[in-house]
Structures are given as C-alpha cells and as structure tokens.
Amino acid sequence: MGNFLAGKVVAVTGAGRGIGRAVALAAAAEGARVVVNDYGVSIEGGEPGSEVAESVVKEIVAAGGEAVAVADDISTMAGGQRIVDTALARFGRIDGVVCVAGILRERMLFNMSEEEWDPVVATHLKGTFTVFRAASAVMRKQEGGGTLIGFTSGNHQGSVAQANYSAAKGGIISLVRSAALGLHKYGVTANAVAPVARTRMSANVPMELKEIGEPEDVAALVVYLLSERARQEKITGQVYTVAGPKIAVWAQPRELRAGYVEGAWTPERIADFLPGTVGTDPMPMLARLEEMAAAAAAKARPNA
Ligand SMILES: NC(=O)c1ccc[n+]([C@@H]2O[C@H](COP(=O)([O-])OP(=O)(O)OC[C@H]3O[C@@H](n4cnc5c(N)ncnc54)[C@H](O)[C@@H]3O)[C@@H](O)[C@H]2O)c1
C-alpha cells in the first residue's frame, strides 16, 4: 500500500464496477477509508442489487483496507445524504467524494422519450449534485476542507444519439465549476474527469475509440486529484481527460471573438456584420459525422 491518501475518508459512487471500482480499490490501497456506493444496476439503470458494492468492500478488506458499502440510488437526495452520513458515522469525516455512477439510454433526439431522458440526467447530473450537496455542507465546516470530483465525458462536446448523456455531462462540468467558485473560500476544490477506459460502458460506444486505457489509469489520476499534492497545487475548476497514456486539460469556456456596433442591433445589421466579423468557431465533431455514422452502422446503433 502507498500513502497518497493516508488518513483520508473518500466516498465513490458507481464503485461496484468499471472505473468506480478501480478508483475505490486504488484509494484504499493508498490509505483511504472508503465508502463504496453502487446501486448495482444494468447499463440502462434497471435491476438494482447490493451485491456489487458489497463485493468491492470485501476486496478492499481482503487487501487489508477499510471500507463500507452503501447500495443506494444516488439520483435521490436521501441516497446522496446516506453516503455522507455513512462516512461520518463509520469514519468520522469526509475528505473526498468521487461521483462516477452512470447509465446510458441511447436514442436519436427526435425519438427520445421522457423515460430515456429523465433517468440519464438524474443519474449523472442530479446524482453528482446530491453527493456534492451533502458532502460540501460538511467539508466547508471541517478542518482541511475537501475535494469534489465529478465524472464527465468527451461526449459533452455533443453526441449524435446520446443527447441525454451529453447534456448531463455538460451540466456536470458547469456544476463542478460552480462548486469550485462557491466553495473556494472554504478550502474545497472541485474538478471533473473525462475518462476513456475499457468497461462495459465503453464497449457500448458507437464509434472506435482510438485512445483508450484501463480503469486503473483513471484511478491513478483521481487518487492524485484527491491528494494533498493536488491541493498544494491549488488545482480546482479543471476538466482532465485521461485515456491510457494520455492526460489532457480542457480549455475554460471563453468568448472567442467579439464585434461592437454603434446604436442598436437589427437583424439586417447583424446579417451584414456577423458572418465576416464575429464568424463561427467550427465544431470539431461535425467533421467526424461520416466516420461516426460508419461506426454506428457497423455496430447496428441508432444514427438516423
Ligand atoms: N468507460 C469510458 O470510457 C467512459 C467514457 C466517458 C465517460 N465515462 C463515465 O465514467 C463513469 C463510469 O463509467 P464506467 O465505464 O465505469 O461504467 P460502468 O457501467 O462499468 O459502471 C457504472 C456503475 O454505476 C452504477 N450506477 C448506475 N446508476 C447508479 C445509481 N443511480 N446510483 C448508484 N450507482 C449507480 C452501476 O451499477 C455501475 O456499477 C460514468 O459516469 C461514465 O459516464 C466512462
């Protein structure tokens, strides 16, 4: 065991499988006491069960670590609160929360039902809020502050057949930045991770992932972000991609180009002015539509 997280208490959602499991195991191996949350659902969010959370707790304990399972649904306020309450009751504090839990319900936007939209946004976006909300209320008052980590995706740039997932992942970035701003004065940092790693979820992606790694690569970055080393560097409000050997930082949103007019805008003046002066910022994903359509067709996934 290392000691990157010695003395810390960390809660991880979606920790029964895939990336969340690797994060929970790595955090425990680095000395953290861990709350292992997983609702134990299928990739679409059905058939809940407590086995996967309990089995990761057993793995941690067998390796000499300390962990406790919470099999609640993090898309509920009670679920988010229970994770934090369990950390306090069992381990006395909460230093880090890592919101990894997620589901997929893929459909073209024009065919997407409310049943496909709501649970995806609730699991990813509200499921990050419920845990951040409960944890930050404790972290702002405790000595040493804390660390909040959300999970986004490169897909926040847009997606052909996962508008629900993409919108939730974009929302998570704005939530993380808001947490970074609102909790700065309390010594609480907030960052987002956009992983690319081999799991049951990435096996489902309708395009070839040219840069991909293992859940353990993602776990190493998360452990660093949870550590004092990252806190000393004052890393907050950032979005990092980790894909196998690559780590990348995403740009902060900013205005690219501006133009001004004397007097009031009219549609006519804008039509004359905007294309040549303010212009557009070409969307990189648009250039990849054909490649994505071919990959979707090869995997028999929705694309039209
Ligand atoms: N794998 C990738 O390449 C990739 C790429 C981009 C983003 N992500 C994101 O990383 C995260 C982890 O993905 P993964 O590939 O490990 O997926 P996964 O399907 O292997 O694991 C997700 C886990 O979340 C749990 N979960 C789902 N709904 C829950 C709920 N309401 N409450 C508690 N637990 C719940 C599931 O039971 C499951 O064990 C997700 O947020 C995903 O969107 C993954």
Side-chain angles (χ1 to χ4, degrees), residues 225-301:
L225 291 173
L226 288 168
S227 75
E228 287 309 310
R229 293 280 292 276
R231 293 176 54 80
Q232 281 158 13
E233 298 290 335
K234 302 193 185 334
I235 295 178
T236 196
Q238 303 302 309
V239 181
Y240 291 106
T241 279
V242 52
K246 178 179 99 170
I247 290 182
V249 65
W250 289 79
Q252 297 289 337
R254 49 174 67 89
E255 289 177 358
L256 187 61
R257 211 176 292 117
Y260 295 84
V261 74
E262 298 227 349
W265 290 110
T266 64
E268 184 64 31
R269 289 183 83 179
I270 293 172
D272 290 341
F273 178 86
L274 185 144
T277 310
V278 178
T280 61
D281 182 17
M283 192 181 177
M285 301 279 282
L286 269 180
R288 298 185 57 199
L289 277 178
E290 271 184 37
E291 173 201 337
M292 290 191 285
K299 290 191 174 183
R301 311 303 298 278

Side-chain angles (χ1 to χ4, degrees), residues 12-302:
V12 185
T13 75
R17 291 192 191 85
I19 294 167
R21 172 177 168 274
V23 169
L25 293 175
E30 292 291 340
R33 289 164 289 166
V34 182
V35 178
V36 175
N37 161 256
D38 203 296
Y39 195 34
V41 288
S42 67
I43 198 158
E44 293 85 16
E47 305 149 51
S50 58
E51 299 77 19
V52 288
E54 283 156 11
S55 99
V56 171
V57 167
K58 281 189 195 134
E59 277 187 83
I60 290 173
V61 171
E66 279 185 78
V68 58
V70 174
D72 284 49
D73 174 0
I74 42 84
S75 70
T76 65
M77 294 302 281
Q81 189 64 50
R82 185 129 49 231
I83 289 167
V84 173
D85 289 349
T86 303
L88 298 179
R90 277 294 290 271
F91 305 129
R93 53 187 288 122
I94 181 83
D95 297 287
V97 292
V98 189
C99 296
V100 190
I103 61 169
L104 283 179
R105 293 189 185 184
E106 192 173 278
R107 191 77 62 200
M108 293 302 286
L109 177 59
F110 42 80
N111 288 326
M112 188 173 284
S113 67
E114 196 174 4
E115 290 69 37
E116 287 161 342
W117 175 271
D118 282 350
V120 170
V121 175
T123 305
H124 291 274
L125 182 53
K126 186 176 173 190
T128 304
F129 163 69
T130 66
V131 179
F132 278 18
R133 158 76 181 84
S136 60
V138 177
M139 289 172 174
R140 69 184 276 258
K141 292 185 181 155
Q142 84 185 356
E143 199 174 326
T147 306
L148 309 171
I149 299 181
F151 263 65
T152 184
S153 161
N155 221 329
H156 79 268
Q157 297 170 93
S159 164
V160 171
Q162 297 177 343
N164 46 1
Y165 180 83
S166 179
K169 291 307 199 187
I172 286 170
I173 293 178
S174 295
L175 173 59
V176 160
R177 290 203 177 106
S178 299
L181 287 174
L183 291 153
H184 187 68
K185 69 176 173 188
Y186 302 108
V188 177
T189 59
N191 293 289
V193 172
V196 194
R198 283 182 199 89
T199 66
R200 68 174 187 174
M201 195 184 279
S202 61
N204 224 36
V205 168
M207 60 177 166
E208 193 198 342
L209 296 166
K210 294 196 177 84
E211 291 180 311
I212 188 164
E214 302 304 326
E216 289 71 22
D217 301 318
V218 184
L221 174 65
V222 172
V223 166
Y224 167 69
L225 291 173
L226 288 168
S227 75
E228 287 309 310
R229 293 280 292 276
R231 293 176 54 80
Q232 281 158 13
E233 298 290 335
K234 302 193 185 334
I235 295 178
T236 196
Q238 303 302 309
V239 181
Y240 291 106
T241 279
V242 52
K246 178 179 99 170
I247 290 182
V249 65
W250 289 79
Q252 297 289 337
R254 49 174 67 89
E255 289 177 358
L256 187 61
R257 211 176 292 117
Y260 295 84
V261 74
E262 298 227 349
W265 290 110
T266 64
E268 184 64 31
R269 289 183 83 179
I270 293 172
D272 290 341
F273 178 86
L274 185 144
T277 310
V278 178
T280 61
D281 182 17
M283 192 181 177
M285 301 279 282
L286 269 180
R288 298 185 57 199
L289 277 178
E290 271 184 37
E291 173 201 337
M292 290 191 285
K299 290 191 174 183
R301 311 303 298 278

